[in-house]
Amino acid sequence: MANTLTFLGIESSCDDTAAAVVRHQLGGSAQVLASIVEGQTALHADFGGVVPEIAARAHAERLDHCVERALSQAGLRLADLDGIAVTAGPGLIGGVLSGVMLAKGLTAATGLPLVGVNHLAGHALTPRLTDGLAFPYLMLLVSGGHCQFLIAHSADKFERLGGTIDDAPGEAFDKTAKLLGLAQPGGPLVQAEALHGDAKRFAFPRPLLDRAGCDMSFSGLKTALLRARDAILAEKGGLTVQDRRDLCAGFQAAVADVLAEKTRRALAVYLALSPEVPAFAVAGGVAANTAIRAKLETVCADNGAAFFAPPLALCTDNAAMIAWAGIERFRSGGRDDASLSARPRWPLDATAAPMLGSGKKGAKS
Ligand code: KG4
Ligand code: ZN
């Protein structure tokens, strides 16, 4: 096999149409030669969520354009590639199908190898693309649709230690913002308000800390926030600037405490494997939260694990992670052909108990 591999990656599993080109030299580091992401936020804005049919149509319309832009940014032609990797699931089936059909068409036309990639494996392998982490490492995926702890043992073996049984934390941040009249996406705005708030004014719960293991729950926290808000509204008829700040601070502190404690537990399971270079990586939109990130860094420092957080553009949905995961699969013999199918559900760890709630059905899960 060639020492240097250059792969095109295609991603269309939710509301981001993306194409990227990644090059990797065996024994060296990987380079993202191009990464194009065309979001669809405006298309879905009126509907309060991603509309699968609209998403699928937009992917079908834009994917080839995205691929052209990625190749042009990388200064390459299709003939310069060594393979094409595509998200084959999990995700919204219409979108995943658009990507898989395009990838099949391109490989049929060029004779290039086709590699189907699990979207979650793309997220989970990103710390190897950005920081060259060695297996095994511990990973926390935490975004608007993801929330799970994984031990990455190899490019195709992931062990899920736990995850949310209902909302993902980003979803809870977004709902909190909505309840407090802040714009979407809510995470950055809730963080900004929390900066000036008193986290101790409201006694928000720390769900599931009383239960052993690494599972989490965030929907009760949102309900607690709703009650606290309604109590203020009933008493004073409105929220002051300080009320809003205190509610945000209390909510954010509760999410941070839960993630920190569950990370401590996940690290204990991981460290029992005696990894040579203990490493913890956090990825996903919520990893941008400075208060949460600081808590996780402290937990890692206390436990002797190095802390990594890939740049946000490679943590949120993108195709560079798909190209990279494709290269990893290809190097370990992974190949697909025209029979590759799109899978709406595709757990990374088929041996783990299925997740409940949005962890299972979420569009980005
Ligand atoms: O990874 P991402 O872009 O998309 C997926 O959901 O897969 O994550 C977006 C989520 C949103 O829910 C957003 O509110 C949240 O990440 N987020 C944050 C922050 N920045 C983005 N949550 C908390 N604090 C932040 N600073
Ligand atoms: Zn994702």
Side-chain angles (χ1 to χ4, degrees), residues 34-55:
S35 181
I36 306 289
V37 180
E38 291 189 8
Q40 303 178 357
T41 311
L43 290 180
H44 304 283
D46 290 345
F47 302 97
V50 177
V51 183
E53 286 75 12
I54 294 177

Side-chain angles (χ1 to χ4, degrees), residues 119 123 146 317 364:
H119 175 87
H123 280 302
H146 309 301
D317 285 351
K364 295 195 174 187

Side-chain angles (χ1 to χ4, degrees), residues 143-146 170-171 173-174 185-188 191 284-286 288-289 315-317 364:
S143 68
H146 309 301
E171 206 177 343
F173 267 97
D174 293 340
Q191 171 177 323
V286 179
N289 186 287
C315 281
T316 52
D317 285 351
K364 295 195 174 187

Side-chain angles (χ1 to χ4, degrees), residues 15-362:
D15 59 350
D16 290 305
T17 313
V21 181
V22 172
R23 177 168 287 164
H24 177 239
Q25 173 131 35
L26 203 58
S29 60
Q31 269 176 290
V32 178
L33 300 182
S35 181
I36 306 289
V37 180
E38 291 189 8
Q40 303 178 357
T41 311
L43 290 180
H44 304 283
D46 290 345
F47 302 97
V50 177
V51 183
E53 286 75 12
I54 294 177
R57 220 172 298 137
H59 288 307
E61 281 166 9
R62 298 171 177 193
L63 267 171
D64 52 353
H65 182 235
C66 261
V67 168
E68 270 177 8
R69 283 180 65 200
L71 287 171
S72 140
Q73 195 177 83
L76 298 175
R77 295 159 306 142
L78 279 171
D80 301 320
L81 300 171
D82 298 298
I84 297 181
V86 62
T87 299
L92 299 172
I93 192 66
V96 180
L97 261 174
S98 302
V100 168
M101 296 310 287
L102 174 67
K104 282 185 188 175
L106 289 173
T107 51
T110 56
L112 287 168
L114 171 68
V115 182
V117 166
N118 181 312
H119 175 87
L120 293 169
H123 280 302
L125 293 170
T126 299
R128 287 172 56 75
L129 166 67
T130 56
D131 295 280
L133 289 198
F135 296 120
Y137 57 89
L138 178 66
M139 178 92 203
L140 169 61
L141 294 182
V142 64
S143 68
H146 309 301
C147 184
Q148 52 183 310
F149 288 104
L150 294 165
I151 296 177
H153 289 279
S154 71
D156 52 15
K157 185 169 176 227
F158 302 93
E159 180 184 351
R160 192 169 70 80
L161 302 181
T164 183
I165 60 167
D166 42 51
D167 292 351
E171 206 177 343
F173 267 97
D174 293 340
K175 286 178 181 166
T176 291
K178 206 176 247 177
L179 289 172
L180 299 178
L182 301 170
Q184 298 292 317
L189 297 167
V190 171
Q191 171 177 323
E193 295 288 315
L195 205 58
H196 308 285
D198 172 9
K200 297 212 164 64
R201 178 169 157 204
F202 299 98
F204 288 130
R206 271 50 176 169
L208 292 196
L209 285 197
D210 54 344
R211 198 196 287 180
C214 299
D215 280 342
M216 291 161 279
S217 162
F218 296 98
S219 73
L221 204 44
K222 173 192 69 199
T223 313
L225 182 116
L226 173 68
R227 291 222 179 90
R229 182 203 68 172
D230 287 351
I232 301 172
L233 290 179
E235 191 191 320
K236 304 196 285 196
L239 296 179
T240 64
V241 169
Q242 197 56 46
D243 289 336
R244 190 173 288 121
R245 289 174 173 173
D246 294 344
L247 287 165
C248 287
F251 166 80
Q252 179 176 278
V255 175
D257 280 352
V258 170
L259 288 173
E261 171 56 21
K262 296 289 176 169
T263 297
R264 196 185 59 72
R265 293 183 198 177
L267 271 173
V269 177
Y270 163 68
L271 292 171
L273 299 173
S274 306
E276 226 167 276
V277 189
F280 169 84
V282 61
V286 179
N289 186 287
T290 45
I292 291 174
R293 194 188 273 230
K295 281 222 157 198
L296 298 181
E297 284 195 75
T298 304
V299 174
C300 286
D302 291 348
N303 288 276
F307 175 89
F308 294 90
L312 205 58
L314 293 175
C315 281
T316 52
D317 285 351
N318 68 89
M321 69 179 190
I322 302 304
W324 169 248
I327 289 175
E328 293 246 43
R329 253 205 87 203
F330 188 75
R331 287 221 189 269
S332 56
R335 305 281 185 284
D336 287 291
D337 57 27
S339 66
L340 175 69
S341 53
R343 300 171 63 172
R345 307 242 182 280
W346 188 359
L348 258 191
D349 178 356
T351 63
M355 283 192 273
L356 303 169
S358 73
K360 187 175 166 201
K361 72 175 188 301

